[in-house]
Amino acid sequence: MKNYYVILLTLTTIIASAQTTRKYSNEFMNIGVDAAALGMSNAVVSQTSDVNSGYWNPAGLVHLEDTQLALMHSSYFANIANYNYIAFGMPLDKQSAIGVSLIRFGVDDILDTTQLIDDQGTINYDRISTFSTADYGLTFSYARKLPLDGLNFGVNAKIIRRIIGDFASSWGFGLDAGIQFETDSDWKFGIMARDISTTYNAWSINEDKFEQISGAIDGENQELPETTEITIPKLQLGVSKKWTINYDYTILGAVNLNARFEENNDVFSTSFASINPALGFEFGYADLVFLRSGFGNFQNEIQLDNSENLTFQPNFGVGFKYKGIQIDYAFTDIGDQSAALYSNVFSLKIDFGVFR
């Protein structure tokens, strides 16, 4: 019976009302990519300048000098969920660049016990099967330099595919847009507008499968859920600066302001919008070794005594770069500064320019 509840809860929470505006639809697309960025609490909108820019701010792709490939893997919730990412980027000419990336967030080998009891009421364990639930995000990116020196823009076209075994699946489509500007004094500014088209998802539900579980709770879930949802836009503003000390040492500081157009527990929240800051730092030596830290996801959490407690998400990371190959690692508590829920994130970036 527990598995009935899990499936019903998944269906009814993800697929609710027709053309419903979702505060947290397609949230897997907001987790982030690249261990280097995650180690800085995702405060990279202004200075991202490699193949991963297709995710963080497509305007940064114009800084590519050659073809790059990126890979990332991480596990969440005690290795129950796996998060994988691959990206490819290349310059078209001195003024423009393109990129493509794919994200998969999934839970595999979930036990399906909906057929455990046959029509005669007999338990038959041979009737247990498994299924997977997975979210896919395919992004196509284009970036171009503008006539104003230091100003670049980029756009993303996203295709979203979400699957809950044989029970339900959806297709979604959306657009992002980003801008970066760099001053002569090396200050960098960035704006990333996500889901500017209010990303649309259309669900398809297997009616035969739904019929098998619709009676799991008496009097509930007797009708098919509606099948469309809309993701509201999000806005990210960033500023950063890098200082060089004695040629070999660098210090990078970055700040992001992440805005959602809804009221929640973010540290700054109104009925119109909520703003969550993120701070990131990177110490580099000889463009070879990097140490990173960051603080983000600041939340005003309500305690049992109705008081508020400010929590945040700490992140730490290291990176190594040698002849166009960069390996990064990030350690992040996915919830707050507790020691309960943490993830190890590994990523690889290859610049093919060094092999030519």
Side-chain angles (χ1 to χ4, degrees):
M1 185 63 69
K2 180 179 179 181
N3 292 80
Y4 281 94
Y5 294 155
V6 171
I7 296 169
L8 283 169
L9 179 63
T10 304
L11 287 172
T12 55
T13 55
I14 294 180
I15 317 165
S17 56
Q19 295 194 11
T20 300
T21 300
R22 293 269 174 230
K23 292 182 179 180
Y24 303 108
S25 176
N26 297 327
E27 277 299 291
F28 77 100
M29 292 294 290
N30 298 323
I31 295 174
V33 303
D34 182 28
L38 294 170
M40 297 180 63
S41 289
N42 304 341
V44 297
V45 168
S46 62
Q47 76 274 16
T48 180
S49 59
D50 59 15
V51 62
N52 299 299
S53 299
Y55 176 90
W56 293 113
N57 187 339
L61 288 172
V62 298
H63 298 288
L64 289 176
E65 297 180 357
D66 210 309
T67 302
Q68 287 188 356
L69 176 71
L71 302 168
M72 189 195 78
H73 170 76
S74 62
S75 297
Y76 291 90
F77 311 115
N79 296 323
I80 294 175
N82 289 301
Y83 183 56
N84 296 292
Y85 159 80
I86 183 172
F88 172 86
M90 61 177 290
L92 293 178
D93 49 42
K94 294 183 178 180
Q95 302 297 320
S96 60
I98 58 172
V100 60
S101 63
L102 176 65
I103 290 173
R104 181 187 187 272
F105 186 87
V107 179
D108 300 304
D109 298 324
I110 304 170
L111 294 179
D112 179 2
T113 60
T114 57
Q115 303 303 307
L116 177 62
I117 302 175
D118 60 24
D119 294 337
Q120 286 72 42
T122 302
I123 296 178
N124 185 351
Y125 292 101
D126 292 335
R127 294 165 63 92
I128 297 177
S129 59
T130 61
F131 69 97
S132 297
T133 175
D135 299 328
Y136 298 87
L138 179 63
T139 301
F140 299 93
S141 306
Y142 174 78
R144 188 169 185 84
K145 294 181 179 179
L146 294 174
L148 179 62
D149 188 35
L151 183 62
N152 313 308
F153 84 96
V155 294
N156 287 338
K158 300 184 296 188
I159 301 175
I160 308 297
R161 176 64 168 166
R162 308 186 69 183
I163 302 172
I164 308 174
D166 295 329
F167 298 94
S169 62
S170 78
W171 288 98
F173 304 91
L175 298 173
D176 304 329
I179 295 174
Q180 282 185 338
F181 179 69
E182 182 176 359
T183 68
D184 294 335
S185 56
D186 292 331
W187 282 95
K188 297 182 179 181
F189 303 87
I191 301 174
M192 178 61 170
R194 298 185 180 275
D195 302 302
I196 58 175
S197 59
T198 57
T199 298
Y200 176 87
N201 282 68
W203 285 86
S204 174
I205 302 173
N206 186 322
E207 296 188 18
D208 292 334
K209 288 289 186 179
F210 184 83
E211 182 67 24
Q212 294 173 3
I213 63 174
S214 60
I217 304 175
D218 292 338
E220 296 185 18
N221 301 294
Q222 302 300 309
E223 298 180 0
L224 286 171
E226 298 294 346
T227 56
T228 56
E229 61 185 357
I230 296 174
T231 305
I232 61 176
K234 294 169 285 292
L235 187 66
Q236 296 175 303
L237 308 177
V239 58
S240 63
K241 183 175 174 60
K242 179 183 286 188
W243 292 268
T244 301
I245 304 171
N246 293 332
Y247 300 102
D248 287 335
Y249 302 94
T250 59
I251 297 176
L252 170 65
V255 178
N256 264 26
L257 295 178
N258 306 311
R260 291 177 181 264
F261 296 97
E262 46 98 3
E263 188 172 8
N264 55 32
N265 290 334
D266 286 349
V267 64
F268 305 109
S269 185
T270 68
S271 58
F272 172 71
S274 298
I275 299 176
N276 203 323
L279 311 175
F281 305 93
E282 179 187 80
F283 172 79
Y285 170 70
D287 199 30
L288 179 67
V289 180
F290 305 91
L291 300 176
R292 306 182 181 98
S293 66
F295 305 91
N297 194 25
F298 291 87
Q299 299 286 303
N300 290 316
E301 292 189 357
I302 305 298
Q303 306 302 303
L304 293 176
D305 60 359
N306 290 324
S307 64
E308 287 190 355
N309 183 35
L310 179 63
T311 64
F312 62 90
Q313 175 184 337
N315 298 274
F316 306 95
V318 296
F320 304 93
K321 180 179 178 182
Y322 182 71
K323 291 186 176 180
I325 299 177
Q326 183 168 332
I327 300 175
D328 295 292
Y329 165 79
F331 178 86
T332 173
D333 183 335
I334 65 172
D336 51 38
Q337 68 270 33
S338 70
L341 299 173
Y342 63 87
S343 294
N344 299 291
V345 183
F346 298 89
S347 67
L348 170 69
K349 183 176 66 178
I350 302 174
D351 190 325
F352 290 92
V354 299
F355 303 113
R356 301 185 188 281

